[in-house]
Amino acid sequence: MTTLSNLPATARMMARLEELALITDEPGKLTRLYLSPAHKQAVEKVTTWFAEAGLSPTVDAVGNIAGRLEGRQPGLPALIIASHIDTVRDAGKFDGNLGVLAGLAVIEELRRLGDKLPFAIEVIAFGDEEGVRFPVTLSGSRAIAGTFDMGALGGHDEAGISMGEAMIAFGLDPTAIPAIARRRDQMLGYVELHIEQGPVLEGANQPLGVVTSIASIKRIAASVTGEAGHAGTVPMPFRKDALAAAAEMILAVERIARETPGMVGTVGRIEAQPGAVNVIPGEVRFSLDLRGPDDATRETGVERVLAEITGIATRRGVTLSLASGYEEKASPCHPAIQAGLAAAVRSIGYEPIALPSGAGHDAAAFHGICPMGMLFLRCKGGISHNPAESITVEDADIALAALLAFVRGLDPASLAT
Ligand code: HGY
Ligand code: MN
Ligand code: MN
């Protein structure tokens, strides 16, 4: 069983993860949103690491960092090993960042071993997987996959800054985005190492999982308009309390998701205006994140939620308006990549657990574009999107060994279908 624990690769990766985790927009917690000052600093740091590894890194028009290790001949189709370096607010240090630095570590090991593969490797650090700042997400991975929607440049953040304006302020040229797309013949496939962000691997007492499919996701921005009023003088029957209405809607989301096998529903953000203790809230905005293991489950669940919250609005005499945001169909992982990852996990002495991903990932942007797959690593308590997110160095070691074994064992012909 070849592990890397006696090699600097794992230790160096863990040290880099700690270093990257210090680059934040919010001192005292890890928050690194797309095109923020912290994202800029992180791009500089990761670009330096890619350059030190001899990857001639470039930063493209959406802020992706791409480095390339040539195969036996220059210009061969590339296996993309990637993930994201943006985070949610008050994030853990491994979500996304682990996949980028593991790709870098694998390339450093290949160079140390002197391996020349029958394909190139591109390691890419995407900057907008979380979609926390702007209404869309997967901006970086979709640009590489050739599916970036230029209309997304008009989406605004909470400060009213559009994505296009933020790109220009970051030093990027949005007009150059279409040129980022890789041609299909340049992409052999896509593989991403990511923490599981759930309890399955821990429950199975196994360090690694092979993802079967990535969740079907729909995000909607909801706003409820009632009537602001005096908290002391408006009798209850006369109220059009936007926050009380939103609260009933949120409980309906929870109930429908609980009743629907495999579905999850989350209201992660809510704001009430005018936000004074003695004023009946007149306006409430909240986020809806609805998911299912397949499109049918998710779409049925979304229909039920929208019907129910519309009914609540009517009954309460408030107005509900909905703005559709990010949507991603379920993305099954390529069988040959699943098989290759499972064989690699077995080759280092572990049992690969096949499991779906409830989380969205950049990998989903490559579904239908090129063969795509994901390797999951166990994380403590399945906790993620939380500063308590953690992995062990032993598991990181095992993940690197598996990813390296996958890459070294990959037959490009197996991905030709
Ligand atoms: O929301 C997600 O599932 C991912 O973490 N962006
Ligand atoms: Mn992630
Ligand atoms: Mn995440």
Side-chain angles (χ1 to χ4, degrees):
M1 181 166 66
T2 55
T3 72
L4 302 169
S5 53
N6 56 350
L7 293 175
T10 305
R12 187 168 51 229
M13 181 180 76
M14 298 303 276
R16 284 173 173 159
L17 280 162
E18 294 297 334
E19 206 176 331
L20 209 44
L22 298 175
I23 301 177
T24 179
D25 292 313
E26 289 187 271
K29 54 180 77 168
L30 176 51
T31 300
R32 189 159 64 228
L33 303 188
Y34 182 41
L35 301 176
S36 70
H39 180 207
K40 182 94 174 167
Q41 268 185 279
V43 165
E44 286 155 9
K45 169 75 69 181
V46 173
T47 302
T48 303
W49 288 333
F50 280 21
E52 287 164 356
L55 300 183
S56 323
T58 55
V59 179
D60 68 23
V62 292
N64 295 322
I65 312 157
R68 184 180 172 92
L69 177 75
E70 289 296 352
R72 286 178 193 145
Q73 299 90 26
L76 291 173
L79 173 71
I80 298 173
I81 304 179
S83 195
H84 60 96
I85 58 171
D86 65 310
T87 75
V88 293
R89 297 185 191 287
D90 198 8
K93 61 183 79 156
F94 302 100
D95 176 0
N97 300 293
L98 171 70
V100 173
L101 295 180
L104 174 59
V106 162
I107 284 185
E108 288 173 327
E109 276 306 283
L110 290 168
R111 295 190 73 208
R112 190 185 63 80
L113 296 165
D115 276 17
K116 281 288 181 190
L117 300 173
F119 49 86
I121 295 182
E122 265 208 87
V123 58
I124 305 179
F126 300 121
D128 182 33
E129 189 280 333
E130 299 291 1
V132 170
R133 180 174 178 188
F134 298 104
V136 294
T137 181
L138 304 191
S139 306
S141 38
R142 284 181 167 166
I144 296 282
T147 59
F148 180 87
D149 170 12
M150 293 298 275
L153 296 174
H156 290 79
D157 66 9
E158 289 169 347
I161 298 169
S162 75
M163 185 189 279
E165 290 162 341
M167 282 179 175
I168 291 164
F170 197 83
L172 304 174
D173 171 12
T175 62
I177 293 174
I180 294 173
R182 300 299 188 268
R183 288 193 324 270
R184 176 61 191 90
D185 65 334
Q186 290 174 310
M187 295 184 281
L188 173 65
Y190 177 99
V191 70
E192 179 171 356
L193 170 68
H194 202 286
I195 50 170
E196 179 202 340
Q197 300 176 300
V200 173
L201 294 179
E202 244 187 1
N205 195 25
Q206 285 293 333
L208 296 174
V210 175
V211 177
T212 54
S213 179
I214 301 170
S216 177
I217 304 177
K218 173 80 175 168
R219 287 186 187 167
I220 297 168
S223 71
V224 179
T225 306
E227 194 170 275
H230 194 300
T233 57
V234 181
M236 294 310 283
F238 292 87
R239 293 185 176 203
K240 294 183 177 178
D241 184 331
L243 187 49
E248 189 177 349
M249 292 173 187
I250 292 164
L251 288 176
V253 170
E254 184 188 48
R255 175 173 43 77
I256 291 167
R258 280 181 188 278
E259 288 169 356
T260 311
M263 183 182 174
V264 287
T266 312
V267 174
R269 191 168 59 207
I270 185 166
E271 54 185 279
Q273 299 299 341
V277 293
N278 58 351
V279 179
I280 302 165
E283 181 84 34
V284 167
R285 286 203 298 266
F286 63 88
S287 62
L288 273 174
D289 178 307
L290 304 170
R291 308 186 187 199
D294 54 71
D295 296 332
T297 303
R298 187 258 288 175
E299 284 156 10
T300 308
V302 168
E303 280 162 24
R304 276 195 64 194
V305 163
L306 296 187
E308 183 117 357
I309 64 177
T310 304
I312 291 167
T314 307
R315 177 164 41 77
R316 284 175 166 266
V318 298
T319 308
L320 172 68
S321 56
L322 301 166
S324 197
Y326 166 59
E327 178 163 9
E328 194 71 47
K329 288 194 173 299
S331 306
C333 297
H334 193 279
I337 292 195
Q338 288 191 54
L341 289 170
V345 171
R346 283 195 193 91
S347 74
I348 60 167
Y350 295 91
E351 184 50 40
I353 302 295
L355 73 167
S357 172
H361 296 285
D362 285 303
F366 292 86
H367 174 61
I369 302 292
C370 68
M372 165 281 280
M374 291 191 77
L375 183 63
F376 268 177
L377 176 61
R378 150 175 74 186
C379 60
K380 192 162 179 286
I383 295 170
S384 183
H385 285 188
N386 178 321
E389 191 178 275
S390 77
I391 62 172
T392 65
V393 65
E394 293 76 16
D395 277 1
D397 206 15
I398 293 166
L400 274 189
L403 193 55
L404 187 61
F406 168 77
V407 168
R408 299 177 86 188
L410 180 61
D411 169 7
S414 71
L415 300 187
T417 50

